[in-house]
């Protein structure tokens, strides 16, 4: 029977094509809407997670108290072994060590004396370990405007703005002046591999990005790091997951009496992002609900229309002896088929767009100076498990309801009248 | 044309449920777009107003060395206020602010702060400087709530402030927290304390000097003053404008999707209407209407959805949106945590221009989608159409 | 203003007529502590929040304006050299082979996390050149009778406009110093001990500094060998010497 209906649908384009297109488009819009909204709403959160807070972050308690001073003298001394333990105990997260530091960038003239100086805030991240996701995580690859990514130890990236202020070019040498973990003065030479623009002036004013191994050497931090970031393998912040992991970690490792014992904080406990996370999920739910309602009405209407246009055909079928119930049933089955295939096509199509927006984003320029929160300028969609099935709700359900309603007409009208509509 | 309009309306209403479903969806799109844009505009207005009243004033003069992003410039960024500028200060159209660096020691901790001196009698900025006007001998200071939280200081607390005067000599004294103010503008709050201007000038050995001067009104032309750079509102509010722009851009995509959804419904309806009403079309032509007139009729019918949606949207949208505009929307997120100005209660602003623009865009879009399938009519042979032969 | 100050000083000193003249004491202190030039090795013990650490260095100074320091320990710092001429400071780091000029504001920063700034460490100011002094009393410090001397800067550029010294009556060196802000707030305190007689002058070889506004245990500064009025060739205080 399904096969029969299927053939009918394929052969009679009028019965199938337009409704199918409408359902597919509707479902596609739903998928794109959901992924876009999820992406845009959580983008500032994820951006912060990738650059500063992680989904969870391990620091010493003393470091956490003075976070904005980047107090590397209060860093985690045994960060290496701690990271190994974290990877083993919580494999659901990716654990990365970072050193965040402040200092001066000093540019020498030909005789090695100071030619220019500028303030900098630096990130020591894992640039060179094969498989390290840090470069992509911080979107560094696409941020390079001049030169290239660092290829070997001793090479760094520097904000384009700072570089042009100090007339630096890729290949030039600079010295970083900072203080080591023990408070000594740290002077370390780097070669500029390339310059970067992140699009947020918070970072663009004067950032350098170096490999963590170099930074450790520069700041005398062998085996230590300021922060260990945990980022969920899921690719987005999961409140429950993060809270559970943080609680489990703190039970084992945190000793409130020792200010240098490690403490794990979730993203929600940092930079006051907690309220934003909660708020975002409420907004997301409300907007998706409104959209689903609207889309359901549209597809319901489409189902209704699809039924109406075939009243003539039903008249004929009733005239040649088919029962009303049977006509009604085939109609429902057909709408289910259309709903299913339309939804599948819609999800597939929507996912293509969603994927594109997730990977490449849409560059909607708008920079922020003076921000303590990092804001994105490229908006990106995000595909979550919900995105995969949310389109089926309006796609199948609404089509079905629409068809059911229009089908009632079959019972209400006389066969003769329906037959007449065939003439019409 | 009037006939086409009347006819279209009658046909549309006659279609009953189908029409109303489309109208409901279209009105949704309408209301949500206006609502969303209204929130952004409301935020924009509020943020601009706050920035102007707390920080930017009507524009500023900066001492030529002053660069707020380079802390090392601050010790060299002060100059006597003389000539035209002094006259303007005298007339109350400018207020000077002296900015220096210092360290406070709340309970043995060290905190670097910006010290800002402001005239207690000034009326240009919303900083409650009047609280600094005390007769008692000690040095009063006011701080913002976020500074109070990070330094753990309360009203009435005393704290040691250490600074170096213009010669580099250390000086330190106890200051008394005379008041704590709440502001949506984080750039006048975090890591800074406000002192009476004359006191700070005295402390720094910089009598009559200032770092920036804040104008009262938005000036069209700022009198030039040697050694001072003019920073107009466009410059001072650039960050804010950029955030709003970026939010609007992100929202635009959502509006687009919402519109496409509504238009999809109308498109579908139009296609069906033209399919089912071929006989009718044939009849119109037979009765002497030109095909273009028939196309116009069907297009009008489709576009009429937008008219009805406007009406329907108005019926439930106006009370809903008006209520929000009056009561405001409560935001659990305080913007000052993010370095941007954001009030905890936001009042959406629905400008006439915004509403008219939205209506126009929806109308035009609807008309286009209605016209598109209707073009088919123009290619029909009336005789075939009459018999319902063309599909 | 100066006249007024002089009258004030005079009237105060007459009130404390039984005490010696402040200026005389300063002169004697300067004779002990200051010299045209000196060469010394020193050890600085910095008590941080987490660990204490030691830095050893050798310093050459001449007059009030010139100073040259070479770091000897720890290994990481070894060979790092600093040259200060007037308000300018250069640092040479051997690992990078760079001579870096440190801007004026850095001079006021703490040296390697200690309670001392570069200024504190590298300046050898003769008290007499910058301060007026009045003896205000007599107290015992570490079991030794001392004059309590109040110093007020007449040079507005001095970082500490007020000093209070407890000067050993017999040996004419301070055993305790307090540094005050202009308004009178106590900023730092140092205690001087291990007084030795070197070539006829008394010299404290250990100083403990403490920032009084901040929690913490302070910084110890211990002098090893010290040589006064040695023949220091002029090239020591040249930038060329940094790279040697």
């Amino acid at each position: 029977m399904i096969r029969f209906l299927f053939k009918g649908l394929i052969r009679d384009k009028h019965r199938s094509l337009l409704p199918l297109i409408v359902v597919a488009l509707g479902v596609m819009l739903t998928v794109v809407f959901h992924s876009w909204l999820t992406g845009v709403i959580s983008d500032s959160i994820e951006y912060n997670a990738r650059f500063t807070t992680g989904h969870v972050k391990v620091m010493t308690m003393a470091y956490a108290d003075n976070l904005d001073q980047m107090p590397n003298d209060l860093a985690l001394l045994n960060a290496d072994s701690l990271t190994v333990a974290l990877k083993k105990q919580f494999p659901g997260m990716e654990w990365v060590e970072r050193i965040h530091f402040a200092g001066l960038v000093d540019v020498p003239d030909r005789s090695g004396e100071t030619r220019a100086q500028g303030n900098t805030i630096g990130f020591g991240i894992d640039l060179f370990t094969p498989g390290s996701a840090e470069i992509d995580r911080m979107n560094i690859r696409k941020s390079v405007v001049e030169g290239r990514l660092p290829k070997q130890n001793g090479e760094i990236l520097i904000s384009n703005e700072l570089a042009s202020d100090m007339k630096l070019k890729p290949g030039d040498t600079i010295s970083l002046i900072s203080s080591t973990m023990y408070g000594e003065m740290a002077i370390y030479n780097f070669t500029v591999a390339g310059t970067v623009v992140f699009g947020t002036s918070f970072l663009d004013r004067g950032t350098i990005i170096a490999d963590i191994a170099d930074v450790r050497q520069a700041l005398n931090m062998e085996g230590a790091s300021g922060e260990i970031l945990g980022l969920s393998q899921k690719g987005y912040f999961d409140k429950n997951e993060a809270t559970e992991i943080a609680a489990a970690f703190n039970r084992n490792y945190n000793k409130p009496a020792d200010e240098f014992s490690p403490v794990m904080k979730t993203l929600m406990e940092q930079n006051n992002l907690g309220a934003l996370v909660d708020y975002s999920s409420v907004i997301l739910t409300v907007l998706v609900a409104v959209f689903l309602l609207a889309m359901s009405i549209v597809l319901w209407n489409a189902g209704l229309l699809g039924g109406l246009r075939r009243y003539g055909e039903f008249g004929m079928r009733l005239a040649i002896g088919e029962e009303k119930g049977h006509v009604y049933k085939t109609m429902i089955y057909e709408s289910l088929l259309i709903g299913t295939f339309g939804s599948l096509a819609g999800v597939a199509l929507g996912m293509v767009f969603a994927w594109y927006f997730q990977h490449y984003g849409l560059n909607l320029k708008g920079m922020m100076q003076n921000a303590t929160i990092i804001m994105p300028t490229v908006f990106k969609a995000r595909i979550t498990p919900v995105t995969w099935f949310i389109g089926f709700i309006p796609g199948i359900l609404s089509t079905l309801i629409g068809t059911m309603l229009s089908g009632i007409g079959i019972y209400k009208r006389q066969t003769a009248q329906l037959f007449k509509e065939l003439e019409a | 044309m009037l006939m086409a309009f009347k006819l279209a309306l009658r046909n549309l209403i006659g279609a009953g449920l189908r029409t109303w479903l489309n109208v409901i969806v279209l009105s949704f799109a309408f209301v949500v777009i206006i609502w969303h844009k209204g929130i952004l505009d409301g935020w924009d207005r509020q943020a601009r107003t706050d920035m102007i009243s707390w920080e930017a004033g009507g524009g500023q003069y900066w001492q030529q060395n002053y660069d707020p992003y380079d802390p090392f410039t601050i010790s060299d960024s002060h100059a006597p206020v003389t000539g035209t500028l002094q006259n303007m200060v005298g007339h109350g159209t400018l207020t000077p602010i002296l900015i220096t660096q210092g360290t406070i020691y709340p309970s043995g901790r060290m905190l670097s702060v910006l010290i800002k001196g402001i005239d207690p009698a000034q009326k240009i900025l919303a900083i409650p400087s009047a609280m600094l006007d005390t007769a008692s001998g000690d040095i009063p200071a006011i701080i913002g709530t976020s500074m109070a939280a990070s330094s753990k200081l309360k009203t009435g607390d005393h704290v040691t402030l250490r600074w170096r005067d213009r010669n580099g000599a250390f000086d330190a004294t106890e200051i008394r927290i005379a008041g704590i103010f709440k502001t949506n503008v984080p750039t006048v709050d975090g890591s800074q304390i406000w002192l009476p201007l004359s006191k700070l000038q005295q402390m720094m050995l910089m009598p009559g000097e200032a770092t920036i001067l804040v104008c009262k009104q938005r000036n069209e032309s700022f009198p030039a003053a040697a050694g001072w750079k003019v920073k107009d509102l466009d410059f001072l509010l650039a960050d804010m404008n950029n955030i709003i722009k970026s939010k609007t851009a992100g929202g635009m995509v959502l509006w687009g999707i919402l519109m496409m959804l509504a238009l999809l419904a109308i498109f579908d309806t139009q296609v069906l209407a033209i399919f089912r009403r071929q006989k009718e079309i044939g009849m119109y032509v037979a009765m002497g209407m030109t095909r273009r007139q028939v196309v116009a009729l069907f297009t009008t019918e489709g576009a009429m959805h937008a008219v009805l949606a406007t009406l329907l949207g108005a019926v439930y949208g106006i009370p809903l949106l008006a209520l929000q505009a009056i009561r405001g929307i409560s935001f659990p997120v305080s913007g000052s945590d993010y370095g941007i100005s954001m009030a905890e209660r936001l009042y959406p602003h629905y400008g006439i221009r915004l509403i008219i623009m939205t209506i126009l865009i929806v109308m035009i879009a609807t008309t286009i989608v209605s016209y598109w399938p209707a073009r088919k009519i123009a290619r029909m042979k009336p005789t075939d159409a009459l018999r319902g032969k063309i599909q | 203003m100066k006249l007024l100050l002089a009258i004030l000083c005079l009237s105060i000193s007459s009130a404390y007529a039984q005490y010696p003249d402040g200026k005389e004491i300063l002169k004697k202190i300067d004779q002990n502590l200051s010299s045209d030039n000196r060469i010394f090795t020193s050890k600085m013990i910095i008590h941080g929040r987490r660990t204490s650490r030691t830095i050893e260095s050798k310093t050459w100074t001449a007059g009030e304006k010139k100073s040259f320091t070479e770091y000897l320990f720890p290994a990481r710092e070894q060979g790092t050299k600093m040259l200060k001429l007037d308000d300018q400071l250069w640092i040479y780091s051997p690992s990078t082979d760079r001579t870096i000029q440190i801007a004026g504001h850095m001079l006021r920063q703490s040296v390697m996390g200690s309670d001392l700034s570069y200024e504190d460490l590298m300046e050898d100011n003769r008290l007499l050149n910058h301060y007026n002094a009045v003896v205000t009393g007599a107290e015992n410090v570490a079991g030794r009778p001392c004059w309590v001397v109040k110093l007020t800067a007449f040079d507005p550029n001095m970082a500490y406009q007020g000093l209070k010294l407890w000067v050993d009556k017999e040996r004419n060196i301070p055993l305790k110093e307090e540094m005050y802000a202009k308004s009178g707030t106590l900023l730092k305190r140092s205690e001087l001990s291990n007084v030795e007689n070197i070539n006829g002058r008394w010299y404290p070889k250990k100083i403990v500094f403490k920032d009084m506004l901040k929690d913490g245990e302070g910084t110890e500064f211990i002098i090893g060998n010290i040589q006064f009025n040695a023949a220091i060739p002029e090239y020591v205080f040249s930038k060329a010497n940094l790279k040697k």
Side-chain angles (χ1 to χ4, degrees), chain B residues 262-281:
Chain B
L263 297 181
L264 180 67
I266 290 168
F267 181 76
D268 191 28
T269 310
Q270 284 293 100
V271 172
L272 178 81
I274 287 155
F275 170 76
R276 272 175 56 88
R277 288 158 62 191
Q278 288 170 52
K279 262 172 95 175
E280 189 184 327
I281 294 167

Side-chain angles (χ1 to χ4, degrees), chain A residues 73-75 106 108 112-114 117 175 177 182-185 189 217-218 220 259, chain C residues 49-50 53 74 76-77 91 93 95-96 98-101 106 112-113 118 239 243:
Chain A
D73 52 327
L74 310 174
D106 185 282
E113 289 194 33
T114 298
Q117 266 177 7
S175 301
I177 307 169
Y182 304 102
E184 307 122 328
M185 175 172 282
N189 279 359
Q217 233 178 336
N220 199 6
E259 62 172 344
Chain C
R49 256 173 101 166
R50 203 173 202 173
R53 57 184 199 279
R76 204 187 154 80
E77 301 283 323
I91 295 181
S93 99
S95 59
T96 57
R98 284 288 322 277
T99 305
I100 285 161
Q101 186 174 359
M106 275 280 282
M112 306 188 168
Y118 288 96
K239 281 203 269 176
K243 282 199 176 194

Side-chain angles (χ1 to χ4, degrees), chain A residues 144-218:
Chain A
V144 176
V145 289
E146 222 184 301
R148 53 166 173 80
L149 288 174
K151 277 185 190 152
Q152 60 194 42
N153 282 98
E155 292 188 333
I156 55 160
L157 293 168
I158 184 166
S159 297
N160 202 43
E161 203 176 310
L162 189 63
S164 66
D165 280 354
M166 300 196 299
K167 301 186 179 61
L168 277 172
K169 287 201 169 42
D172 287 351
T173 302
I174 59 129
S175 301
L176 168 73
I177 307 169
S178 184
S179 57
T180 70
M181 184 163 71
Y182 304 102
E184 307 122 328
M185 175 172 282
I187 302 178
Y188 200 82
N189 279 359
F190 287 107
T191 307
V192 176
T195 68
V196 282
V197 170
F198 287 107
T200 48
S201 46
F202 174 69
L203 291 171
D204 286 339
R205 218 174 291 145
T207 298
I208 63 176
I209 291 174
D211 184 57
I212 191 162
D214 287 327
V215 176
R216 280 186 171 149
Q217 233 178 336

Side-chain angles (χ1 to χ4, degrees), chain C residues 94-231:
Chain C
S95 59
T96 57
D97 191 27
R98 284 288 322 277
T99 305
I100 285 161
Q101 186 174 359
I102 300 296
H105 55 83
M106 275 280 282
L107 288 170
R108 298 171 174 184
Q109 309 262 310
S110 121
V111 179
M112 306 188 168
S114 68
D115 288 323
L116 291 161
S117 68
Y118 288 96
E119 265 177 354
D120 289 339
L121 203 63
M122 303 190 81
E123 282 182 0
D124 173 25
N125 287 319
R126 281 172 200 240
L127 296 172
L128 209 52
N129 294 353
H130 306 279
Y131 292 95
N132 287 316
V134 177
V135 179
T136 60
E139 281 174 23
N140 278 6
V141 173
R144 295 194 61 92
C146 289
W147 295 116
V148 181
V149 189
K150 269 186 124 165
L151 281 71
T152 319
F154 51 78
D155 176 355
N157 294 314
M158 293 309 287
Y160 304 106
Q161 292 284 298
L163 292 178
K164 195 171 169 187
L165 308 181
W166 281 258
V167 184
D168 190 315
K169 283 183 182 176
E170 188 191 329
R171 300 183 294 195
N172 289 310
I173 44 149
L175 297 181
K176 190 164 118 179
E177 283 183 13
E178 286 181 346
M179 288 86 148
Y180 289 89
K182 249 181 0 183
S183 54
T185 310
L186 175 60
L187 297 173
K188 282 182 188 171
R189 176 182 289 152
S190 55
E191 279 163 20
L192 303 86
S193 56
N194 298 8
V195 180
E196 284 180 24
N197 194 308
I198 303 160
N199 306 333
R201 40 168 107 215
W202 292 102
Y203 206 84
K205 294 187 88 173
K206 180 178 177 187
I207 309 173
V208 179
F209 291 91
K210 170 86 182 73
D211 186 331
M212 299 308 287
L213 295 178
K214 193 171 83 177
D215 291 339
E217 287 172 52
T219 301
E220 289 172 53
F221 190 76
I222 300 161
I223 306 245
N225 282 319
I226 184 159
Q227 248 182 294
F228 296 100
N229 301 323

Side-chain angles (χ1 to χ4, degrees), chain A residues 119-365:
Chain A
N119 289 311
T120 186
I121 287 181
F123 289 93
I125 63 170
D126 184 356
L127 287 176
F128 302 129
T129 305
S132 166
E134 293 279 86
I135 290 181
D136 293 320
R137 187 169 292 131
M138 294 175 79
N139 198 28
I140 294 169
R141 210 180 299 278
K142 287 183 203 121
S143 307
V144 176
V145 289
E146 222 184 301
R148 53 166 173 80
L149 288 174
K151 277 185 190 152
Q152 60 194 42
N153 282 98
E155 292 188 333
I156 55 160
L157 293 168
I158 184 166
S159 297
N160 202 43
E161 203 176 310
L162 189 63
S164 66
D165 280 354
M166 300 196 299
K167 301 186 179 61
L168 277 172
K169 287 201 169 42
D172 287 351
T173 302
I174 59 129
S175 301
L176 168 73
I177 307 169
S178 184
S179 57
T180 70
M181 184 163 71
Y182 304 102
E184 307 122 328
M185 175 172 282
I187 302 178
Y188 200 82
N189 279 359
F190 287 107
T191 307
V192 176
T195 68
V196 282
V197 170
F198 287 107
T200 48
S201 46
F202 174 69
L203 291 171
D204 286 339
R205 218 174 291 145
T207 298
I208 63 176
I209 291 174
D211 184 57
I212 191 162
D214 287 327
V215 176
R216 280 186 171 149
Q217 233 178 336
L219 306 185
N220 199 6
M221 293 182 73
E222 221 36 66
S225 48
E227 312 170 346
I228 303 173
L229 267 59
L231 289 130
S232 176
Q233 305 275 19
K234 293 177 185 167
Y236 55 90
F237 179 68
D238 180 337
K239 189 173 159 181
N240 295 333
E241 183 191 32
T243 315
E244 273 167 33
I245 288 178
F249 177 86
N250 290 335
R251 257 199 312 278
N252 281 340
Y253 290 88
N254 185 246
K255 299 175 199 75
D258 174 11
E259 62 172 344
F260 297 111
S261 74
V263 63
M264 188 187 286
K265 299 207 167 190
T266 68
L267 176 150
M268 307 193 45
E269 297 165 286
Q270 302 173 53
N271 298 6
N272 290 310
L273 286 172
L276 191 64
V277 170
D278 288 338
Y279 186 60
S280 301
S281 78
V282 172
I283 289 280
L284 180 68
T285 314
V286 169
L287 281 179
V288 167
V290 169
F291 189 84
L292 272 187
L293 182 65
M295 182 50 79
S296 299
I297 294 176
V298 170
L299 293 186
W300 172 20
N301 204 8
L304 198 64
L305 295 175
L308 289 179
R309 70 168 70 191
R310 291 173 57 193
Y311 275 4
E313 175 200 330
F314 297 150
M316 163 94 95
R317 279 164 66 180
L318 291 175
I320 58 176
E322 211 175 326
E323 279 183 30
K324 277 187 175 175
H326 189 259
V327 172
Y328 193 61
K329 223 159 59 185
T330 54
M331 215 176 126
I332 300 290
Y333 283 147
E334 275 183 28
S335 82
L336 265 180
L337 279 175
I338 286 174
T340 309
F341 282 99
S343 298
L344 283 174
V347 168
L349 212 62
M351 277 298 167
V352 170
F353 283 103
W355 182 88
Y356 179 85
F357 286 138
Q358 175 165 289
H359 274 258
Y360 299 102
L362 210 57
N363 192 353
L364 305 166
K365 248 197 183 159

